[in-house]
Every structure is written in C-alpha cells, then in structure tokens.
Amino acid sequence: MQNTNQDSSATRTKDAAQTYDSIVIGSGAGGLATAICLARAGKKVVVLEQHDVPGGWCHSFYLNGHRFTPGVHYVGLMAEGEATNDLYRGLGIANELVFFRMNPDAYEHVRIGQERFDFPANLDLLIERLSARFPKEKKQIYNYLHLTRKVSEELYSLPYFKGFWQKLTIPFKTKHFGKYGMFSVRKVIGWHIKNPLLKNILNIQCGDHGVQPKKVPFVMHSALMYHYFDGGYYPMGGGGALIKAMTNTLKKNGGELRTSTAVSKILLEGDTQKKAVGVTLSNGENLYAGNIVSNADVGITYNDLVGRENLSRKFQKKLANTKYSSTSLMLFLIVDMDLRAAGLDSGNIWMMPNKDTDDFYDSMLASDISQGDAFEGMFISCTTLKDPSSFDGKHHSIEAITLVDYKAFEKFKNEGQERSQAYLDFKELLMQKMINGLEKAIPGISKHIVQKDLGTPLTNKYYVNTTDGNIYGTEKSLKHIGPFAYKAKSEIENLYLCGASILSHGVAGVSHSGVDTAAQILGCDPDELKKPQEDQHIRIYEAEDASDYPEWMLKKIAVKTARTKSKTQEINS
C-alpha cells in the first residue's frame, strides 16, 4: 500500500530548519498541558492552532464587550491539596489563576418539572438533604452515594500500584471498582434507588457526559460526582484566563504557539511500520519533529490528518465503529435584568421535565429538533454571578446549553462561511426555542435581552474542529472508556494523542490527559510532572461573599460599574 502522506527526503532536507522535538496539534487545555511539560523538560516545542485564538473549548470570546466561554462552566477538586489544585500548581500556572467558589449551599440547582432540589458542596449534607426529602430511601441513598465515593477512590488509586507485588493486590483493594466497572449508571442506580424523582436528581449530572444514564458507565459517573462532592469553582476571567496562564507558562519555558495555523496532514515515513515525522500546514509549509501530539479528536486525527489508508485493518475497524458524543446548541445572552432578584446565584441550573431521564434524552437527541415551542432540557450558567469581577453593575452574561444530534444540521454541513437563508432561518427558530425554554427557568427574561447569539453544531465544528461538532470527544459509553478508550500512544511510531477521547473529558480531565501523554514521551511517571510546586498557589474567593475580596479586585469591579453607569447616563441624557 502506498503511503499518501509520505514525504520526500528532498523536501525534508530543504525544510530542515523547521524542526522541533515535538509538534502539538491543537491548543486546548490538553495540548497545552502536554506542551508545557515537554518545554519544561527542555524540549523544543511548537503548538499549532487553527483558530485565531488558543484554547479550543476553553477559549473565551466577546459579544459587545461581554465575555463568554463555551466549554468552561465549573471545575471541581480545586481546594488546597485537592487534585485539580495540585495539577495547576504542578504545571506552574497556579500563581496566575484566581477562582471563585460557587454557592456552597447550592452549586447545582436541579429543576425537574415543578420539583426543586439543590446540591450542596458537602457529601454528608447531600445525603442528609436527600434523606429528608426521600425518607423511605434513606438507607439506600447513603449506600449508593458512598458506593460512588468508594468506586472513585479505587479508580484514582489504580496508578499508584507500583511493582509486581503491589499489582497482585489490585483485585482485593479495588473490589468495588471491579464489581461495578462494566455496568451503566441506570443499572446500578436501579439496584439501589426506587423513587423515579430521586433517580432523576442523582442522574441529572449525566449532562456533563452528554450521554443518557443507560449508556454512561457507573464508574465514570462516580468519578464525576466525586469531582464535585466538595463543590464547583469558576475561574476569574473565564476559560480564557486558564488558557492565558497556560500559554504564558509555555512561552516562559521556551515553547512556541502559532495561531491561525491549521494542519492539513501528518507526514509519515515507512511502509510496514509507519512513523510520524512532521506536519503539512494548510499553506503548504512543512514542519518536522521527533514526536507529533494531536489534541484534535480521534476522528479528525486519524480520518483527516493521518488517513485511514495508513492505519492497520484492525484499527480501521475500530475507527469505523467509533461513536462520538452528542453535540449542542449554545445560547449566549446579554441581559439587563436583576438576576439575583429573580432568584439566581452562582450555582448552575439543570432543567428537565419530570419524566424518565433516558426517555427524555432519547427525545432530546431526535433528529427533528424544530418541533415544539421550547427546549425543555437545559444547562444554564450565569458567568457574571460566578465571576463577580466581570459584572458591570447592569448586564449579566448567560450561557444556556441543550444537547442535540448532529443529524439535524447535516443538510447544511457543506455550506461555506456564507450561510444560506435556510440555515439562518433554522438557527433563528432554534434560538427562539432556547429563549422560550429559558423563560421557564427565569420568567420575564425575554423582555431584558440586550444581545443574543446561538452556537450550533456547525459553529462547534468551525471554531473547534471536532467530528460532527461533538463536545466530549468519543461517546462516553462503556465501549469508549478505560481499556476500550483510544490510547495516548498510537500504532504509528512517534504519534501521540491527548484530550477528551483518551483519558477523560472535562477541563481537568483533558489537562490530566495532556500531562499523561507528556509523561509517556518523556519516559517518566505522570506524578513527577504533576508534583505541586512549593511557590505556586491558587487564590480562591467566594462568589457569594465579597467581604474578603482584595483591594485590586474591588477596584476592578468599581471601575467596571462606574463605566456602565456613565454610559447609561450619557444615553439617558
């Protein structure tokens, strides 16, 4: 078989000056984490980003001066000594970061039909609150939630079994993980919980996987719940601040970042055993490296950049059977409404009708999404309440998300940047459906919209370049996690991957994935790269309590508020 990506030695010699130790394709949190670790180890690294700003799903953008971040809505395990805090200290980005702790009494507001429940940032309090609401299930609530904790702790302990004798003890020390590892959330929760409403409350965070409970592995959902047992945190400055800290640290360590630089293919050498040697950019330029790391999803990496013809038959079959996570509609609103007076705070809102979660997901992911007047299921986030430093005293920024199937947009996929009127009309219809759904959560909000926009699956594909606009890489089902997930080290020599399809999804998950990939390249333990640096510390403040805000932050808020007040007075005069 001829290698269509194979490069000629003459071309390679001519472009020899453009040579690196590692090339990282994509500047999401995973790719940047890999690049930081490699650069810190003294490697010559370049990160290539097709968008004009770095960050992938973590990037921030502005509408009329108001910031939005499509892929960062909360992060867990951020307190001192917890895993995400240690990760950021280990990467050397902590000193540049400020986080706000979201409402500890209700970092998640659950709205199921007319029913309401708030998730507190404390496992014991969560059990107490659920037991008071569902007294007949008190014992099972305790057993189920402590099982999620045990399974998660056993999962997180797996990398720490070193050497032959310790590994022999794995079946005994991870018995809960082993017992429940191959079952779905629906199956396990059904063994413990009988009340349908209680099941829905405990399953509501399945939206963070983009998959219904009948598909979500219990182990993965346990890890997600464990991640947020102590609450949620939001970065000051949104996801863009996290990316800025990562790019600054990359550059401090000698790494290079190129934006507006799309990769068209990965260059390969060899016939039977192929080897990645570089990349070709969309402008025809070739860059070469000892290692290539793709932070693009596996579909883009293998189908588009490598080419299926360069993969083994076994791997081609795996790729053909791969399913990708759902895609989304994202409503971005600027409103001049007093949201605190309307009952909102820094906690997220999960909204769905009072029906079986699996049945509702199936209807939500149906191919015809034009039916009905409103989307009934949404994740709602007010970033100006999560990040008080971004509030100008008048305008709030809201991000509302619902999951959809890409098939609804397939007929528009070949359109260029100049969209057809049919697409624009469809987008307008869906945006109104989103607003109508949001109206159920925040009555009267439609009368206070200053600016609105809608991100569709085609928006996702254009800006983040994911297969069918997916938001979490591969579908987070039993077929695509753990031993069945794609590996960081590919079957092509010197080609590695990181990101949501490899180790885990979510902001923290992809960052851990990036570090693990760098560790494989460097031949060390990931913990060596994650070891918290003593001089690195994250500043954390309360989103709901400004009493301990430092002077510089209070001044920032005051200046922003004063500017808005002045503009309002000018308009009124």
Side-chain angles (χ1 to χ4, degrees):
M1 184 191 307
Q2 186 178 358
N3 180 1
T4 58
N5 281 7
Q6 197 164 358
D7 183 39
S8 69
S9 57
T11 304
R12 188 174 182 185
T13 302
K14 184 174 71 174
D15 295 337
Q18 297 279 44
T19 302
Y20 297 84
D21 293 315
S22 292
I23 294 172
V24 179
I25 303 169
S27 67
L32 289 174
T34 299
I36 288 170
C37 293
L38 295 176
R40 196 168 55 190
K43 305 299 182 182
K44 185 181 179 185
V45 182
V46 63
V47 179
L48 307 175
E49 170 57 48
Q50 56 100 24
H51 193 14
D52 57 8
V53 294
W57 278 114
C58 293
H59 85 276
S60 293
F61 69 93
Y62 290 82
L63 291 175
N64 196 26
H66 297 269
R67 187 190 66 248
F68 296 90
T69 303
V72 180
H73 298 103
Y74 57 155
V75 182
L77 296 175
M78 278 300 310
E80 191 78 22
E82 292 184 330
T84 312
N85 188 302
D86 283 351
L87 170 65
Y88 292 157
R89 289 180 63 201
L91 286 171
I93 64 174
N95 287 348
E96 293 193 43
L97 297 175
V98 175
F99 275 82
F100 290 99
R101 185 168 75 136
M102 294 155 58
N103 185 359
D105 190 57
Y107 75 95
E108 303 270 51
H109 298 284
V110 180
R111 300 186 178 191
I112 299 176
Q114 299 302 311
E115 305 290 342
R116 301 288 184 266
F117 184 81
D118 292 334
F119 273 72
N122 180 284
L123 176 59
D124 292 334
L125 183 55
L126 174 62
I127 292 172
E128 180 184 319
R129 195 173 283 182
L130 285 169
S131 298
R133 181 76 176 272
F134 303 96
K136 292 181 180 179
E137 305 250 23
K138 181 176 180 179
K139 183 179 178 181
Q140 292 304 94
I141 289 168
Y142 178 91
N143 290 340
Y144 178 76
L145 287 174
H146 274 274
L147 176 61
T148 65
R149 166 161 267 179
K150 288 176 184 175
V151 167
S152 299
E153 289 173 345
E154 290 174 2
L155 172 64
Y156 285 123
S157 73
L158 287 174
Y160 298 99
F161 288 95
K162 310 291 184 183
F164 176 76
W165 295 109
Q166 281 194 20
K167 288 180 179 178
L168 278 182
T169 67
I170 289 178
F172 306 99
K173 293 184 177 180
T174 61
K175 60 181 180 180
H176 299 93
F177 173 80
K179 181 178 180 180
Y180 295 99
M182 296 305 295
F183 295 105
S184 69
V185 173
R186 184 180 181 89
K187 184 78 72 176
V188 179
I189 202 171
W191 292 334
H192 291 80
I193 306 296
K194 301 307 175 188
N195 186 286
L197 175 60
L198 176 56
K199 286 182 182 180
N200 281 350
I201 290 172
L202 289 169
N203 287 339
I204 197 77
Q205 290 173 318
C206 282
D208 281 333
H209 311 292
V211 180
Q212 52 266 67
K214 66 184 178 184
K215 289 185 177 181
V216 176
F218 175 68
V219 169
M220 176 167 282
H221 194 60
S222 295
L224 176 84
M225 293 193 75
Y226 181 84
H227 187 73
Y228 292 119
F229 272 154
D230 292 324
Y233 298 77
Y234 189 79
M236 186 178 85
L242 178 61
I243 295 304
K244 184 178 180 180
M246 296 183 88
T247 55
N248 286 345
T249 302
L250 171 66
K251 292 172 184 177
K252 286 176 186 175
N253 285 282
E256 182 182 347
L257 170 67
R258 296 193 194 181
T259 55
S260 301
T261 306
V263 173
S264 60
K265 69 178 179 179
I266 294 172
L267 296 171
L268 305 176
E269 286 184 347
D271 294 319
T272 54
Q273 176 56 55
K274 293 185 171 55
K275 177 180 179 181
V277 296
V279 300
T280 297
L281 306 182
S282 57
N283 64 4
E285 179 185 2
N286 286 346
L287 304 179
Y288 300 93
N291 294 298
I292 310 298
V293 180
S294 178
N295 188 205
D297 74 33
V298 292
I300 299 297
T301 300
Y302 289 119
N303 290 323
D304 299 347
L305 302 182
V306 171
R308 287 197 185 200
E309 68 278 7
N310 294 305
L311 303 168
S312 67
R313 289 184 180 179
K314 181 180 179 181
F315 199 86
Q316 286 183 40
K317 185 176 180 181
K318 175 182 175 70
L319 196 61
N321 291 329
T322 296
K323 291 185 178 180
Y324 297 90
S325 75
S326 58
T327 184
S328 64
L329 296 175
M330 296 190 185
L331 177 66
F332 305 106
L333 290 184
I334 302 169
V335 298
D336 60 2
M337 183 177 185
D338 186 344
L339 293 183
R340 285 202 178 274
L344 272 69
D345 55 31
S346 56
N348 303 316
I349 297 174
W350 289 96
M351 184 179 76
M352 63 170 281
N354 194 358
K355 59 170 61 175
D356 180 84
T357 309
D358 282 298
D359 291 342
F360 175 62
Y361 267 76
D362 289 342
S363 65
M364 192 163 54
L365 295 171
S367 57
D368 186 359
I369 58 175
S370 63
Q371 299 300 307
D373 295 327
F375 286 105
E376 295 184 283
M378 283 188 185
F379 173 87
I380 303 165
S381 166
C382 179
T383 56
T384 40
L385 292 176
K386 291 179 179 180
D387 175 4
S389 72
S390 67
F391 181 48
D392 66 3
K394 182 178 181 181
H395 302 100
H396 283 291
S397 300
I398 292 177
E399 298 165 355
I401 303 168
T402 194
L403 303 177
V404 295
D405 192 317
Y406 181 75
K407 289 178 183 176
F409 286 83
E410 216 155 18
K411 58 188 173 184
F412 304 114
K413 69 180 181 180
N414 294 322
E415 293 186 359
Q417 279 185 268
E418 293 296 322
R419 297 294 185 187
S420 67
Q421 190 59 47
Y423 169 80
L424 296 176
D425 291 343
F426 188 46
K427 180 178 173 179
E428 187 65 32
L429 181 150
L430 297 177
M431 183 154 49
Q432 190 57 54
K433 277 190 66 176
M434 290 285 286
I435 293 170
N436 293 345
L438 189 63
E439 184 77 27
K440 296 181 179 182
I442 314 171
I445 195 168
S446 57
K447 297 177 182 178
H448 293 272
I449 296 173
V450 175
Q451 190 163 352
K452 60 184 179 181
D453 204 349
L454 184 73
T456 74
L458 299 186
T459 314
N460 299 347
K461 188 167 179 58
Y462 178 77
Y463 285 106
V464 190
N465 193 24
T466 60
T467 302
D468 293 343
N470 76 75
I471 55 177
Y472 294 126
T474 51
E475 180 184 76
K476 297 304 174 265
S477 63
L478 288 164
K479 294 180 180 179
H480 294 106
I481 70 161
F484 310 111
Y486 282 89
K487 304 295 183 272
K489 193 176 190 315
S490 76
E491 67 175 20
I492 295 172
E493 189 178 346
N494 298 341
L495 176 60
Y496 296 81
L497 289 85
C498 66
S501 301
I502 310 305
L503 180 69
S504 184
H505 57 301
V507 186
V510 297
S511 299
H512 280 289
S513 168
V515 175
D516 284 14
T517 297
Q520 291 201 35
I521 294 171
L522 295 171
C524 66
D525 192 293
D527 285 345
E528 295 177 37
L529 303 177
K530 298 176 188 177
K531 184 178 179 181
Q533 298 177 30
E534 293 297 325
D535 62 344
Q536 289 282 328
H537 297 281
I538 294 175
R539 292 160 288 171
I540 297 176
Y541 302 98
E542 299 290 333
E544 299 296 323
D545 182 5
S547 62
D548 66 342
Y549 289 2
E551 187 62 32
W552 63 264
M553 187 185 293
L554 293 173
K555 184 176 180 180
K556 178 179 180 177
I557 295 171
V559 168
K560 190 179 284 284
T561 303
R563 285 176 181 168
T564 302
K565 187 176 181 180
S566 177
K567 286 181 181 178
T568 303
Q569 289 173 343
E570 286 179 18
I571 293 170
N572 291 337
S573 63

